[in-house]
Structure formats: C-alpha cells, structure tokens
Amino acid sequence: MSDLTASVLETKNGFHVDGYEKISYDFTFLDGVFDTKNRQLAECYQKWGRVLAVTDMNVYNMYGQQMEKYFEHYNLDLKVHKTKIGEKAKTIPTFLSIVDSMTEFGIYRKEPVLVVGGGLVTDVAGFACAAYRRNTNFIRVPTTVIGLIDASVSIKVAVNYGNYKNRLGAYHAPMHTFLDFTFLRSLPVAQIRNGFAELIKISSCSHLATFDLLDKYCEQLIDTGFGRVDGAPNEVRSAADKINREGIHEMLKLETPNLHEIGLDRVIAYGHTWSPLHELVPETPLRHGHAISIDMAYSATLANSRKLLSDDEHHRLLRLFSRAGLSMDHPQFDEDILDKGTQAILKTRDGKLRAAVPNPLGSCTFLNDVSLDELHAALRRHKEIMKEYPRNGEGLEAFVDASDTGYTENNEQEVEALEAAAAKAGNLNGSMNGNGVVHGGHVVNGHADGVNGHTNGVAEKLANGSAKGLTNGVNGFTNGAKA
C-alpha cells in the first residue's frame, strides 16, 4: 500500500515538484494458511465477499480443493485463474491472460488479487496487478523456497523478454505476504535445491551466521524440505526456521531502503551480474538457482584472484555449492557469454559493473575496475578449479523441466489432452518417447520424464504460438500448436 505526499513550488519558468511515496506492507509467518482454523487470509477479503486467485496448475492440482474449502468455510466466492507458467512462458501472453481474467472478474482497483505460487507466478501476476488500472492490489502466498525467501522480499514484478530475464516489469508492493513453509512438504527436491542458492547468496555476502548454518546442515535441509517433511529431526527444523527467518529479515533490511533500486550497488545482486543472460542461453534453460550459483561461484573465483577472498573461504564456498548439488559451471558459460552479459549489465547498472563479491565471507565488495582480460583470465582459472569438483562443477537437475516450464503438470488428464492436441497438429515427430514433451504420459511430482523434455517435442513450437498459447490450459496448447 502506498501514500503520497508532495509539494509544488513555483519557479521562474514553471513549477518544481517534490513527491514522497510511503510504501508499507506486511509479512506474516503462518503454517497452514489454507487451514480453516486460520482466518487471517480470509479476513483480508471479508470486505469484498469474493476472491480472484491466480495460481499455477501444479499448485492448484495439489492444493485447489483445500483453497476452495477454505474460502467456502468463510462464505467467500472463489474464482481461480489457473496458468501454466515457466521461464519460457513468463511472457506477455501469459501476463495478458491474467489481465483478461481480472477484466472478466470485474476487479476493483483496491480489491486484492490473491497470487498463490512460486516466484514465476508471483512475478507475472504481480506485474499484471501493477499494470491493471496502473495500480491494483494483490496478496502473495508463495509456495517455493525461492518464492518464500527471495521473490517474496522484493517488490519487483516482471516478465521475460527475448533472452533476457525480467526485462519488462515494475515496482509494485503487495498488501500482504503470507509465509507458509508447510508448502515445502510437497516441493520436489530439485526445487528445494534451486531455492537453496538464494540463501547462499544472501548469507555469503551479508550474514555469516546463516552461512554457517547452511554449511552445517546442507544435505539435511535439502533432503527434508527445510525440516518440514514428516520425521525430520527437530534440530534440522529449528535450524531451518532460523535460517529462513534470518535470511528474509536480512534481505528486507538490505532491500527496503532501496525498493526502487535507485541505488545500484546492491548486496543481494551477488550472482546476478552475468546470470540474467546466461540463464536463458541453453536450449533448455537453467533453473534460476543454478544460473546464479554459476555466477556466484565464478565471482568468488574472481574475488579470490584479487585476494579479496581467502583460499580457505573460496573453497569453503565452492564446497557448499557442490554439496548442495548446485551448478558452478556450464559449457556455455564461456568468454562470449561473459562479454555479452557484461555489456548487458552495464546498461542496467548505469555504465558500471557493480559486481557484488564476498570480501571476506559474510561481507560484500563491489567491483567496477575489472577489464575483459581479467574476466577472461578468472574464467579460465575457474574452469580449471572445477575439474577438482564432482561433475566438473555441473549441478544436479540443473535444467528446467515440466515443474518449471508449465508445458505439462501433475495431472495425467491434462497430459493426455496435450498429447492428443499435439498429435493432431502433427508436431510429435513420430514419437513421444525419449526427449519428447511427455514420456509415456508419466509425470512424477510435476516432472515430465527426461531433463530435456520440452525442447525436442512440441513445446518449442507452442512457445511461439498465438497469444492464446501457453496460457489458457489445454485449449491454449491447442491454439499454440495450430498457430
């Protein structure tokens, strides 16, 4: 929510305006946000008597009935916009499909849209709210690690454009964010690992005590959904709760003085110098956590080369990435991508590199005076160091799959409908096995078989379909395939 105060002064040739906008919003830790015993979320909608929710198919298939029962219990009419969302569907057509639902619903300007999902969903739906009548309220319920501890902290909302992440967007604060870590019980391990990277980011540059906890409990945190799965040790659950709360608090302290990024030296931009370009370069995009981990690991090697990070700290950081199964290198992270990423980020950061690096571990320095020769030398050294680590520094489940892309989701009826639509359009290339969109129609935890599931089948064609493609369920895919 925002309040604006301003002054207008006459000048010799016109007027001078000073405007000051107060931005206020709340975070509530609440296990069981859709438990009927917890009325906090419902109270936000009592005034309106109804709710427009935006969520993704995976979340709805798992929690949709619970959501419906919750709002029915409080006599609130619920309409749900279900979207298939992922990095390649984090686009203007997806954004417009949400806008269409807001229009059909007849949303009032101050009536909050409920956004339930991971960081991709909250980004796109938040951008739709920012654009709709220039300022429509929304409430966030993030459901992934990245959504809970990173995307929920910022007021940035956006869609991708071309090969660049978040190129079109806005700064738009939600009214309220409910942080329910019980969602992590159902989150695939690959997504837990993906979000773990964001906690390494903030702790290695700003909160050493949290880094120490991540280092101590790394594998247990990932395997137990941050202590939320049944049977998780109390010690791990306690450590996880401390990590999450401290991590969010630290990011809020860093972000809130600079919500609109007027200051461009940002500690939380560690790992975000070259990754915005590199993340979408592979034919199958990297998961966000893996992309920033490559950036962070390389940046740490650059800092170590400058003696800003000791050898012990450097390898301690790299070992944590490796133990977590996060990527530290990739064949396409090369000098050409480094050069292109540098040129792109210089435009974003007003002509300066402003590369955040740990110096020492738990603190941060920004590098501006780095030549391309130095960057290339650090990259060559980094790739040599990676030979000492498992998988030559490549990560586990590093690439997006069906749980990220939104091309398929954990509902076999939808999968079968997609197969039929694609077959009718003649885009199956004779087979659905191997690296096609779906392998025998089998989906586990929202993941289609085969890491490259969406690249060699119908999905690439769908991505360039009509404006209805990729956005409106099965019919969206049919329209996209026919285009």
Side-chain angles (χ1 to χ4, degrees):
M1 297 293 290
S2 301
D3 293 308
L4 184 67
T5 59
S7 62
V8 181
L9 302 175
E10 284 194 81
T11 65
K12 181 178 179 180
N13 297 314
F15 303 96
H16 175 77
V17 176
D18 279 319
Y20 301 92
E21 188 176 20
K22 178 184 177 183
I23 301 174
S24 61
Y25 52 105
D26 295 297
F27 292 81
T28 298
F29 288 87
L30 179 64
D31 281 4
V33 66
F34 293 121
D35 187 328
T36 54
K37 297 176 184 176
N38 297 324
R39 61 181 302 113
Q40 292 92 322
L41 177 61
E43 287 175 347
C44 298
Y45 289 93
Q46 291 294 342
K47 171 184 176 181
W48 307 98
R50 62 178 191 166
V51 181
L52 172 62
V54 177
T55 189
D56 68 74
M57 287 288 194
N58 285 337
V59 171
Y60 184 79
N61 289 338
M62 190 162 291
Y63 297 103
Q65 288 187 353
Q66 187 178 358
M67 291 170 60
E68 290 169 359
K69 289 179 181 178
Y70 176 82
F71 288 111
E72 182 181 359
H73 178 80
Y74 288 102
N75 298 314
L76 296 169
D77 294 332
L78 174 66
K79 177 181 178 181
V80 182
H81 174 100
K82 300 179 285 290
T83 185
K84 298 184 179 184
I85 188 94
E87 285 296 351
K88 284 204 170 184
K90 187 181 175 183
T91 59
I92 287 294
T94 305
F95 160 90
L96 290 176
S97 74
I98 297 171
V99 169
D100 287 343
S101 287
M102 293 169 72
T103 298
E104 183 180 326
F105 188 77
I107 199 83
Y108 286 84
R109 190 171 192 172
K110 298 298 182 182
E111 183 179 9
V113 175
L114 176 63
V115 182
V116 184
L120 294 170
V121 175
T122 58
D123 271 4
V124 180
F127 187 33
C129 292
Y132 200 83
R133 295 196 179 94
R134 300 186 183 90
N135 184 10
T136 296
N137 286 333
F138 74 114
I139 291 172
R140 287 187 296 207
V141 179
T143 60
T144 64
V145 181
I146 285 183
L148 285 159
I149 57 90
D150 183 68
S152 70
V153 173
S154 171
I155 68 168
K156 296 183 294 184
V157 291
V159 296
N160 298 337
Y161 180 73
N163 277 338
Y164 296 97
K165 278 184 63 67
N166 303 325
R167 182 51 57 95
L168 304 177
Y171 299 97
H172 186 52
M175 290 176 59
H176 206 119
T177 298
F178 289 92
L179 301 169
D180 181 356
F181 283 86
T182 63
F183 285 115
L184 301 188
R185 292 175 181 169
S186 59
L187 198 66
V189 169
Q191 293 287 5
I192 301 289
R193 180 182 294 114
N194 190 35
F196 196 88
E198 294 286 359
L199 287 164
I200 295 179
K201 175 193 75 175
I202 192 62
S203 63
S204 59
C205 270
S206 188
H207 206 270
L208 186 58
T210 295
F211 185 89
D212 290 339
L213 287 173
L214 293 172
D215 198 16
K216 181 177 181 180
Y217 294 102
C218 172
E219 292 85 355
Q220 291 171 284
L221 290 167
I222 292 171
D223 291 342
T224 65
F226 278 77
R228 294 293 171 166
V229 301
D230 293 339
N234 290 334
E235 180 183 354
V236 176
R237 167 69 178 270
S238 177
D241 288 349
K242 186 172 183 179
I243 288 166
N244 292 328
R245 191 175 188 93
E246 291 296 331
I248 292 170
H249 191 200
E250 189 66 21
M251 282 198 275
L252 282 170
K253 288 189 291 183
L254 291 167
E255 278 286 271
T256 49
N258 191 31
L259 285 173
H260 289 84
E261 296 184 359
I262 295 170
L264 298 177
D265 289 341
R266 301 172 59 243
V267 174
I268 67 169
Y270 177 42
H272 292 71
T273 300
W274 296 281
S275 64
L277 175 64
H278 177 239
E279 182 170 340
L280 301 182
V281 164
E283 184 177 8
T284 305
L286 287 161
R287 284 191 164 108
H288 180 67
H290 288 266
I292 67 169
S293 291
I294 292 171
D295 190 318
M296 285 190 281
Y298 165 71
S299 297
T301 298
L302 177 62
N304 175 251
S305 298
R306 285 196 164 202
K307 309 300 182 186
L308 301 174
L309 195 64
S310 71
D311 291 346
D312 286 345
E313 290 176 320
H314 181 212
H315 285 285
R316 185 186 179 198
L317 180 54
L318 296 184
R319 281 195 300 270
L320 182 56
F321 284 123
S322 182
R323 288 168 54 206
L326 288 164
S327 301
M328 296 186 288
D329 194 23
H330 182 269
Q332 287 179 279
F333 188 63
D334 54 23
E335 291 184 4
D336 180 56
I337 291 301
L338 201 61
D339 295 352
K340 289 178 180 176
T342 300
Q343 292 305 311
I345 206 67
L346 287 173
K347 294 175 183 176
T348 299
R349 296 176 179 171
D350 201 26
K352 292 184 178 181
L353 186 62
R354 306 179 196 269
V357 298
N359 172 34
L361 201 60
S363 300
C364 183
T365 291
F366 300 94
L367 303 182
N368 291 310
D369 59 337
V370 189
S371 68
L372 285 179
D373 286 343
E374 184 179 359
L375 291 175
H376 292 169
L379 182 62
R380 290 191 294 270
R381 178 171 177 250
H382 183 68
K383 288 184 177 292
E384 285 298 314
I385 293 171
M386 289 300 98
K387 295 177 182 178
E388 304 170 11
Y389 286 86
R391 306 174 303 278
N392 291 318
E394 294 192 36
L396 301 173
E397 300 176 289
F399 300 94
V400 299
D401 61 17
S403 68
D404 306 272
T405 61
Y407 297 132
T408 60
E409 84 296 318
N410 52 19
N411 182 315
E412 292 197 6
Q413 287 184 329
E414 291 282 338
V415 171
E416 291 168 1
L418 175 57
E419 286 184 19
K424 185 176 180 181
N427 285 326
L428 292 186
N429 297 322
S431 175
M432 286 302 293
N433 294 322
N435 290 329
V437 171
V438 181
H439 183 78
H442 179 59
V443 176
V444 180
N445 290 330
H447 290 61
D449 289 340
V451 171
N452 295 324
H454 74 280
T455 60
N456 297 324
V458 65
E460 287 298 320
K461 291 183 173 62
L462 296 181
N464 296 316
S466 70
K468 295 292 184 182
L470 297 175
T471 59
N472 297 322
V474 176
N475 290 332
F477 281 94
T478 303
N479 294 337
K482 288 180 179 178

